Amino acid sequence: MPEPMYRSRLTGRPVTRAERIAAARARVTIDPKRGVETPQWIVELAKQSA
């Protein structure tokens, strides 16, 4: 089964799996500093290898 296509909310361009993982890792790092709890699906995505 092929991986679903994700698109940027701002530009509509396709987003690669590596870009999604990098964004998730950044959010996992920053959310505690902002006082926000990171959703579990983002934590799981950040644990994947790019």
Side-chain angles (χ1 to χ4, degrees):
M1 181 179 248
E3 190 171 322
M5 172 69 72
Y6 292 96
R7 294 194 170 269
S8 167
R9 286 187 189 179
L10 297 176
T11 64
R13 77 169 183 80
V15 178
T16 66
R17 183 172 180 266
E19 289 173 323
R20 291 181 67 232
I21 292 170
R25 288 178 181 166
R27 183 160 172 184
V28 166
T29 302
I30 296 301
D31 276 356
K33 295 177 184 177
R34 294 172 43 208
V36 177
E37 186 174 337
T38 307
Q40 189 60 36
W41 71 270
I42 295 176
V43 173
E44 294 300 320
L45 180 61
K47 290 179 183 177
Q48 296 178 11
S49 61

